[in-house]
Amino acid sequence: MGYGLKPVKRADGQPYAGAVTNYLIDPSGAATNLFNGQVVTLNANGYIILAPGTGADATTNNLGGSSIGAIGVFVGCSYTNDQGQTVHSQYCPSGAVNAVAYVVDDPNVLFEADLDAAASQAIIGSNAPFASAQTGSTGSTTTGNSTSELDATVATTTKAFKIVGLSPTTGTDAVLVKFNPGYHMMTMDTGV
């Protein structure tokens, strides 16, 4: 079972030190569940939303919509619950108000991602999208984690993620990836 994208280190070899950027989620309430490890983007109002598409191409199926790109990977949030208390959570439930998303938005971070099938060393250097589009139900409200996986049927044509290695912890079931240029807002010259 997938777990979305987990930040593990930077592409320059430095360890990932847990850096995140805080982004607002629509103050009137999150439109859908957001799970730890899901790719997110900004909407036209500057709020974090779940990234549509699989990343199978850079236009109609891009992670942020047509030619927009993702802003990063959601790794948690804070929001106000029904009792007026501030809650820090690994996932943001649909309808959460006054929510702030914690997002890994550095395009040079490498992420570990589960594949939907086993792979070999030959997969390194290839490109891959998600196996299916993320939704508000591609995650667990118990663990707060995404259940998204990458497609193990890889390509040399442009896709959202570049596979840079096999996971050192799980072997052929998972890979290390980074966002390809054109799929991350920080590497694009177009705006929302």
Short mmCIF file of all heavy atoms in Angstrom, two decimals, residues 2 34 80 123 151 156 164 189:
data_model
loop_
_atom_site.label_atom_id
_atom_site.label_comp_id
_atom_site.label_asym_id
_atom_site.label_seq_id
_atom_site.Cartn_x
_atom_site.Cartn_y
_atom_site.Cartn_z
N GLY A 2 0.49 2.23 -0.77
CA GLY A 2 1.28 3.45 -0.91
C GLY A 2 1.23 4.33 0.32
O GLY A 2 0.43 4.15 1.23
N LEU A 34 -6.81 16.46 3.14
CA LEU A 34 -5.43 16.50 2.68
C LEU A 34 -4.62 15.59 3.58
O LEU A 34 -4.65 15.75 4.80
CB LEU A 34 -4.87 17.93 2.75
CG LEU A 34 -5.49 18.97 1.83
CD1 LEU A 34 -4.93 20.35 2.15
CD2 LEU A 34 -5.23 18.61 0.38
N THR A 80 -8.55 24.80 13.44
CA THR A 80 -9.42 24.99 14.59
C THR A 80 -10.54 23.96 14.53
O THR A 80 -11.26 23.89 13.53
CB THR A 80 -10.01 26.41 14.60
OG1 THR A 80 -8.94 27.35 14.58
CG2 THR A 80 -10.87 26.64 15.83
N ILE A 123 15.12 0.95 -13.57
CA ILE A 123 14.12 2.02 -13.47
C ILE A 123 14.76 3.39 -13.19
O ILE A 123 14.18 4.43 -13.48
CB ILE A 123 13.07 1.68 -12.39
CG1 ILE A 123 11.78 2.48 -12.60
CG2 ILE A 123 13.62 1.89 -11.00
CD1 ILE A 123 10.64 2.03 -11.71
N ASP A 151 3.34 5.09 -10.53
CA ASP A 151 3.18 4.08 -11.57
C ASP A 151 4.54 3.44 -11.86
O ASP A 151 5.50 4.13 -12.19
CB ASP A 151 2.62 4.74 -12.83
CG ASP A 151 2.15 3.76 -13.87
OD1 ASP A 151 2.54 2.57 -13.81
OD2 ASP A 151 1.40 4.18 -14.76
N THR A 156 10.47 7.39 -20.70
CA THR A 156 11.55 8.34 -20.94
C THR A 156 10.96 9.70 -21.30
O THR A 156 11.66 10.70 -21.26
CB THR A 156 12.46 7.86 -22.09
OG1 THR A 156 11.65 7.64 -23.25
CG2 THR A 156 13.17 6.57 -21.71
N VAL A 164 15.47 8.69 -9.14
CA VAL A 164 16.92 8.86 -8.98
C VAL A 164 17.58 7.72 -8.22
O VAL A 164 18.80 7.68 -8.10
CB VAL A 164 17.25 10.22 -8.32
CG1 VAL A 164 16.78 11.37 -9.20
CG2 VAL A 164 16.66 10.32 -6.94
N ASP A 189 8.07 29.44 -14.97
CA ASP A 189 7.96 30.89 -15.08
C ASP A 189 6.52 31.35 -15.26
O ASP A 189 6.26 32.53 -15.43
CB ASP A 189 8.85 31.42 -16.21
CG ASP A 189 8.49 30.85 -17.56
OD1 ASP A 189 7.54 30.04 -17.65
OD2 ASP A 189 9.15 31.21 -18.54
#
